[in-house]
């Protein structure tokens, strides 16, 4: 369909946590965003990292920090996340079926705001809110863990989101998160994604910069 230019957002979840400064320095000149997966062990069955780690990340990079909040109450730590230096937050519609107050709180703290849908959640669940969002995120794996296999069945939702945004002239980016690598970035781009998250495919690659370039090339050429 489109995708003249895409943003690549490596997910730090797959990086070496003992050397985050080096991991970030290795890719930061080649990517637009850094994707931060915050998990609470309750909304998802895993715990990742929180505010102190994000402060540490902010101290070593000027990249746009895209914080994917996988917690039961995504509104609870918005002031702290803003203070720690994230630029945008995304909250799951499964956690906040009425996202208005969460979005308002995010905006009060100067944060970009987006909504995320799990593989089993239809696009219709977020459609009424797309107009005010900066970002809509289509999960291509069940949230909670990196390194899972891409679920191709979510691609029609990416197309639906892209069509919704184009038909209404909206500004929202369409992000796809989970299981993305050079081998499927083309179909993700062709479906209409403008932001591709990739964790394992970047940070577990022998050459992360090469991996980023391959993902970008595939996504922009739709191949
Ligand atoms: C899953 C996270 C994803 C994940 C992506 O809950 O939201 O961002 O870390 O990692 P890969 O690319 O390894 O699937
Ligand atoms: Zn994520």
């Amino acid at each position: 369909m489109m995708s003249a230019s895409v943003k690549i957002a490596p997910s730090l979840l797959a990086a070496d946590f003992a050397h985050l400064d080096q991991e970030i320095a290795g890719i930061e000149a080649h990517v637009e965003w850094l994707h931060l997966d915050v998990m609470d062990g309750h909304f998802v069955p895993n715990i990742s990292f929180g505010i102190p780690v994000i402060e540490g990340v902010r101290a070593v990079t000027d990249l746009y920090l895209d914080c994917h909040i996988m917690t039961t109450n995504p509104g609870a730590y918005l002031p702290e996340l803003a203070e720690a230096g994230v630029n945008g937050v995304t909250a799951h519609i499964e956690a906040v079926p009425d996202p208005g107050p969460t979005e308002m709180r995010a905006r009060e703290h100067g944060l970009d705001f987006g909504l995320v849908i799990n593989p089993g959640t239809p696009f219709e669940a977020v459609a009424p809110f797309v107009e005010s969002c900066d970002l809509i995120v289509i999960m291509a794996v069940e949230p909670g863990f990196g390194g899972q296999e891409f679920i191709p069945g979510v691609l029609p939702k990416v197309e639906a989101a892209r069509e919704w945004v184009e038909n209404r002239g909206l500004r929202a980016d369409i992000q796809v998160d989970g299981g993305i690598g050079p081998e499927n970035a083309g179909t993700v781009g062709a479906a209409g994604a403008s932001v591709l998250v990739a964790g394992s495919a970047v940070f577990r690659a022998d050459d992360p910069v090469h991996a980023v370039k391959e993902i970008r090339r595939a996504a922009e050429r739709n191949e």
Side-chain angles (χ1 to χ4, degrees):
M1 183 181 169
M2 51 149 295
S3 62
S5 85
V6 299
K7 294 192 258 288
I8 307 295
S11 165
L12 218 52
L13 195 60
D16 177 351
F17 285 107
H19 303 283
L20 285 181
D21 52 348
Q22 294 167 26
E23 294 277 67
I24 294 166
I27 47 111
E28 71 174 339
H30 303 273
V31 304
E32 288 77 14
W33 289 9
L34 206 52
H35 183 84
L36 305 177
D37 289 301
V38 170
M39 305 178 182
D40 66 351
H42 188 253
F43 179 70
V44 290
N46 196 9
I47 298 173
S48 57
F49 53 80
I51 307 295
V53 172
I54 294 172
E55 285 172 348
V57 168
R58 176 81 293 166
V60 298
T61 185
D62 291 327
L63 280 176
Y64 182 100
L65 299 181
D66 161 41
C67 184
H68 176 189
I69 308 177
M70 285 162 275
T71 70
T72 302
N73 184 353
Y77 291 95
L78 294 177
E80 288 84 351
L81 287 168
E83 185 68 22
V86 311
N87 300 90
V89 293
T90 58
H92 276 257
I93 194 74
E94 299 85 2
V96 277
D98 172 15
T102 309
E103 170 170 7
M104 200 181 297
R105 194 145 198 248
R107 304 268 181 220
E108 279 167 14
H109 290 277
L111 297 166
D112 292 339
F113 182 79
L115 287 168
V116 193
I117 51 173
N118 281 339
T121 303
F123 171 69
E124 287 68 31
V126 289
F129 312 110
V130 178
E131 187 168 2
S132 67
C133 283
D134 298 293
L135 183 64
I136 294 295
V137 187
I138 317 285
M139 291 304 299
V141 299
E142 293 299 335
F145 299 91
Q148 302 181 78
E149 203 173 320
F150 183 82
I151 302 171
V154 307
L155 287 170
K157 286 199 289 186
V158 181
E159 289 167 3
R162 172 54 60 198
E163 203 177 302
W164 186 275
V165 163
E166 294 304 320
N167 287 346
R168 290 162 182 76
L170 305 179
R171 69 173 188 283
D173 264 311
I174 309 291
Q175 177 180 99
V176 182
D177 182 10
I180 296 178
E183 70 291 348
N184 56 21
T187 52
V188 173
S194 54
V195 186
L196 280 73
V197 175
S200 318
V202 171
F203 288 113
R204 301 283 162 94
D206 291 337
D207 183 347
V209 170
H210 180 71
V212 165
K213 288 181 177 169
E214 290 293 295
I215 292 168
R216 187 186 305 282
R217 187 206 311 249
E220 293 182 351
R221 293 187 186 171
N222 301 338
E223 58 188 26

